[in-house]
Amino acid sequence: MVQATLCLFPLLTVVQVYCSPFASPKMHMHEKRSGIPAEFIAMGAAAPNETLSLRVALIQGKFSGLEESLYAVSTPSSPSYGKFLTKEEVEAFVTPSDAATSAVQAWIKSHNLNVAAVSPAGDWFSLDVTVQQANELLSADFKTYQHHDTNLTAVRTLSYSLPAELQPHIAFVHPTVSFPRTLSRASHRGFRQLPNLFVPGAVGHNKKNGTAPDSCEQQVTPVCLQDLYNIPRTPANQKNNSIAVTGFLNEYANEADLSEFLIKFRPDMPADTTFTFESINGGVNPQGSGTAGGEANLDVQYTVGLSTGVPVQFISEDPNGEKGILDDFLATVQFLLNEPTTPNVVTTSYGLSETSDEESVPLLINICNAFAQLGARGTTVLFASGDGGVAGYSDDCGSDSNFSPSFPSSCPFVTSVGSTTGIKQEQAASFSSGGFSNIFPRPSYQEKAVSNYLDSLGDTYSGRFNASGRAFPDVSALGIGLQIVANGSIEAIGGTSASSPIWASIVGLLNDELIGKGMPVVGFLNPLIYEHPEALKDITLGSNPGCGSDGFSAAIVPGYDPVTGMGSPRYDRLRAVLGLDES
Ligand SMILES: *[C@@H]1O[C@H](CO)[C@@H](O)[C@H](O)[C@H]1NC(C)=O
Ligand SMILES: *[C@@H]1O[C@H](CO)[C@@H](O)[C@H](O)[C@H]1NC(C)=O
Ligand SMILES: *[C@@H]1O[C@H](CO)[C@@H](O)[C@H](O)[C@H]1NC(C)=O
Ligand SMILES: *[C@@H]1O[C@H](CO)[C@@H](O)[C@H](O)[C@H]1NC(C)=O
Ligand SMILES: *[C@@H]1O[C@H](CO)[C@@H](O)[C@H](O)[C@H]1NC(C)=O
Ligand SMILES: *[C@@H]1O[C@H](CO)[C@@H](O)[C@H](O)[C@H]1NC(C)=O
């Protein structure tokens, strides 16, 4: 005890020599949350002998180098454009320093615990401990908490500490202070659902460039999208191409519904065109009648049914949503990073509000950085921006009425997709979430476009959003009145969850052409679209009200707005910018 006290005096270097480094280290608070999340109640101390599977995320050695490489390979004007990194090159950037690795190993061994690196890059260690051991190791107080609505329980602590000398080496320990967010499904069926107005005749399409039949004003089908966005309908033919669609929270993609969808809306495609299924951590995709999910059906029908022959993979994780959506994102991105080849496109129609007092900020940063790793390998990572206008994924904006940014849309290394509506005069869908991160600073690729918007905005909403943060969304596409087949019948569905798969299909088709010509795939899309605004159709009407405000307006200035981003796609213009016209 005396020795422990002496060790706490940094000036007594002579005394410190006698202290083994971790025998009685000075513990520093590493993460702390202000209280129990509103949707949980404390059930009491966790059983001391209960086992916890903790993960230790080490500080990645050269993440800034990875970020630089990501921009170099994704920016059309850069000499390294399209020269994507290999798995090993990406891993070399995120491998922790030797000093970090050995310090963390020594610390854990000094507690007679076993530790193993669980990621190829060595930036994640796993640590199986009892609650008692975890409490001692981390000066924590693990308790059992129960979620009000689902009754699911989670063992968590409201704070934990690390030896001071390890803080520069450890990003965070997980799961500790992050509670599983179970109710954060992104976009939902029925949101802004229109009555089913579908008439079979609507399938026919105009030959005229950039126009679509009047029926598309209210009922959006693949043909409407092809007409409006000049998307080719000829089959893609590259086998070495892929779009991955992620699914969570009991959402299953139904093959019979997809087939029915193709018969009704893509009679030119084989009705047996389907997707492959990939399970992560016990993810399932049951096909029984009545098991389909509106979200998963939408995502699969508007990728398979719009990308015309591009191979589509449906990835399902954590079927019951027990681990929470952040852990689902983490597991999915880690799974993809461990694969020898990553998909060319990944689309996700789920998200949550980026609340720094609810979520572990280091965890959000780690997940965001994992998307940068995917991008550096040439994957386009798309996320729906959220369906609550400036309130994002939150139910309310709190007493301060501050706008609520969405995650992962707020991550600068993903492409965030908002929604539009209307074909004659395409404008912002009012639910299209957009805004500014409170965690991630504005990346340089959007500096010019976003400052232009902020200059025009002036003092409006000053203090309700963080003007220095990463602005989202980046792009948009139609998101109201999409016709899908669910449980065998046609219904309308909407939300930014519709817009993200549309973009996935467009990038998938561009990749098909690029691969066919031996050119690099699209990869991380943002540097290209901000460098080439002419590749998109600027949307200059509409706004995204929320939090008791009118929201941001798309009309105040041409160019970027945090409702529709840089605009909606025009396939022919994207082709031109990618150099596909030239050969
Ligand atoms: C934990 O301890 C309790 C009470 O001592 C005992 O009943 C239980 O079997 C133990 N559980 C495990 C996993 O060892
Ligand atoms: C949660 O537990 C309560 C009390 O046991 C029960 O009434 C309720 O139905 C349970 N809810 C769920 C979703 O299981
Ligand atoms: C669409 O129109 C533009 C000019 O308005 C033209 O450059 C482009 O080639 C046309 N695309 C198609 C698919 O006809
Ligand atoms: C398929 O594409 C991946 C990149 O997405 C590339 O690494 C691989 O070499 C390609 N395989 C073939 C057979 O072209
Ligand atoms: C399908 O039908 C079942 C009942 O037959 C219902 O519970 C489910 O919500 C329906 N799913 C969809 C996507 O319509
Ligand atoms: C605003 O965003 C920056 C990152 O761009 C962050 O460092 C800062 O803490 C944020 N401010 C508030 C009040 O959240």
Side-chain angles (χ1 to χ4, degrees), residues 235-319:
N237 51 34
Q238 298 301 322
K239 299 286 165 267
N240 192 20
N241 188 19
S242 54
I243 298 174
V245 174
T246 62
F248 309 102
L249 308 180
N250 286 315
E251 283 281 347
Y252 310 122
N254 189 277
E255 291 174 19
D257 284 344
L258 172 61
S259 184
E260 190 63 26
F261 177 84
L262 294 174
I263 289 167
K264 290 221 161 61
F265 299 111
R266 286 304 306 275
D268 55 325
M269 280 177 71
D272 61 354
T273 313
T274 188
F275 53 90
T276 55
F277 173 62
E278 182 82 60
S279 159
I280 308 181
N281 296 337
V284 292
N285 194 35
Q287 296 296 311
S289 112
T291 54
E295 177 69 67
N297 269 351
L298 167 70
D299 300 351
V300 160
Q301 289 171 17
Y302 279 84
T303 45
V304 175
L306 187 58
S307 70
T308 322
V310 175
V312 172
Q313 182 185 44
F314 178 68
I315 303 178
S316 173
E317 214 273 334
D318 188 21

Side-chain angles (χ1 to χ4, degrees), residues 412-431:
F413 310 128
V414 308
T415 300
S416 169
V417 187
S419 283
T420 60
T421 182
I423 50 154
K424 288 204 188 67
Q425 194 161 45
E426 191 177 1
Q427 56 182 289
S430 62
F431 57 76

Side-chain angles (χ1 to χ4, degrees), residues 373-435:
Q373 295 175 58
L374 275 184
R377 287 173 66 180
T379 299
T380 306
V381 181
L382 301 163
F383 276 90
S385 73
D387 291 355
V390 289
Y393 286 101
S394 69
D395 294 337
D396 57 70
C397 304
S399 49
D400 54 12
S401 305
N402 284 350
F403 300 164
S404 174
S406 309
F407 184 82
S409 277
S410 65
C411 166
F413 310 128
V414 308
T415 300
S416 169
V417 187
S419 283
T420 60
T421 182
I423 50 154
K424 288 204 188 67
Q425 194 161 45
E426 191 177 1
Q427 56 182 289
S430 62
F431 57 76
S432 182
S433 288

Side-chain angles (χ1 to χ4, degrees), residues 528-549:
L528 180 138
I529 50 137
Y530 287 91
E531 198 170 90
H532 290 285
E534 75 276 15
L536 303 180
K537 178 172 185 286
D538 186 18
I539 306 294
T540 53
L541 270 181
S543 63
N544 54 359
C547 302
S549 80

Side-chain angles (χ1 to χ4, degrees), residues 55-388:
R55 296 270 173 122
V56 182
L58 277 66
I59 298 286
Q60 298 171 333
K62 304 176 206 119
F63 184 77
S64 58
L66 179 81
E67 186 177 357
E68 237 168 74
S69 297
L70 170 69
Y71 290 135
V73 300
S74 317
T75 306
S77 58
S78 144
S80 311
Y81 180 67
K83 295 181 181 149
F84 300 119
L85 278 62
T86 63
K87 179 171 187 280
E88 292 70 27
E89 285 167 341
V90 165
E91 285 164 7
F93 278 118
V94 298
T95 297
S97 69
D98 292 345
T101 304
S102 44
V104 172
Q105 281 171 335
W107 168 56
I108 294 174
K109 282 196 186 120
S110 76
H111 285 261
N112 295 319
L113 297 169
N114 290 324
V115 66
V118 287
S119 62
D123 56 336
W124 282 92
F125 282 14
S126 79
L127 185 60
D128 289 328
V129 287
T130 64
V131 163
Q132 185 176 357
Q133 287 168 329
N135 283 338
E136 286 165 9
L137 185 71
L138 301 171
S139 303
D141 181 17
F142 280 95
K143 287 196 168 75
T144 302
Y145 294 90
Q146 187 173 40
H147 190 269
H148 280 323
D149 298 336
T150 60
N151 293 347
L152 292 174
T153 59
V155 176
R156 293 292 187 274
T157 179
L158 299 183
S159 71
Y160 68 94
S161 299
L162 292 173
E165 56 273 46
L166 283 179
Q167 283 189 301
H169 300 314
I170 294 180
F172 61 99
V173 181
H174 179 73
T176 52
V177 295
S178 253
F179 282 60
R181 297 267 291 267
T182 50
L183 301 176
S184 48
R185 173 188 315 227
S187 338
H188 11 160
R189 63 180 307 179
F191 189 87
R192 293 266 162 163
Q193 188 169 330
L194 295 172
N196 177 15
L197 300 170
F198 176 73
V199 277
V203 177
H205 65 87
N206 279 340
K207 292 273 185 287
K208 203 161 160 257
N209 193 348
T211 60
D214 289 352
S215 61
C216 296
E217 203 67 60
Q218 293 197 301
Q219 303 154 47
V220 178
T221 63
V223 170
C224 298
L225 296 163
Q226 290 169 331
D227 284 347
L228 184 62
Y229 297 149
N230 298 328
I231 303 170
R233 60 202 75 207
T234 46
N237 51 34
Q238 298 301 322
K239 299 286 165 267
N240 192 20
N241 188 19
S242 54
I243 298 174
V245 174
T246 62
F248 309 102
L249 308 180
N250 286 315
E251 283 281 347
Y252 310 122
N254 189 277
E255 291 174 19
D257 284 344
L258 172 61
S259 184
E260 190 63 26
F261 177 84
L262 294 174
I263 289 167
K264 290 221 161 61
F265 299 111
R266 286 304 306 275
D268 55 325
M269 280 177 71
D272 61 354
T273 313
T274 188
F275 53 90
T276 55
F277 173 62
E278 182 82 60
S279 159
I280 308 181
N281 296 337
V284 292
N285 194 35
Q287 296 296 311
S289 112
T291 54
E295 177 69 67
N297 269 351
L298 167 70
D299 300 351
V300 160
Q301 289 171 17
Y302 279 84
T303 45
V304 175
L306 187 58
S307 70
T308 322
V310 175
V312 172
Q313 182 185 44
F314 178 68
I315 303 178
S316 173
E317 214 273 334
D318 188 21
N320 303 318
E322 289 176 15
K323 293 190 300 163
I325 196 78
L326 276 180
D327 278 76
D328 292 345
F329 290 153
L330 186 61
T332 304
V333 69
Q334 288 183 340
F335 170 85
L336 293 173
L337 287 173
N338 285 350
E339 296 280 286
T341 308
T342 57
N344 293 333
V345 182
V346 185
T347 175
T348 302
S349 292
Y350 302 77
L352 69 165
S353 49
E354 180 215 81
T355 15
S356 42
D357 53 349
E358 282 295 320
E359 307 304 338
S360 155
V361 172
L363 172 61
L364 298 181
I365 292 173
N366 183 281
I367 294 173
C368 176
N369 289 357
F371 294 129
Q373 295 175 58
L374 275 184
R377 287 173 66 180
T379 299
T380 306
V381 181
L382 301 163
F383 276 90
S385 73
D387 291 355

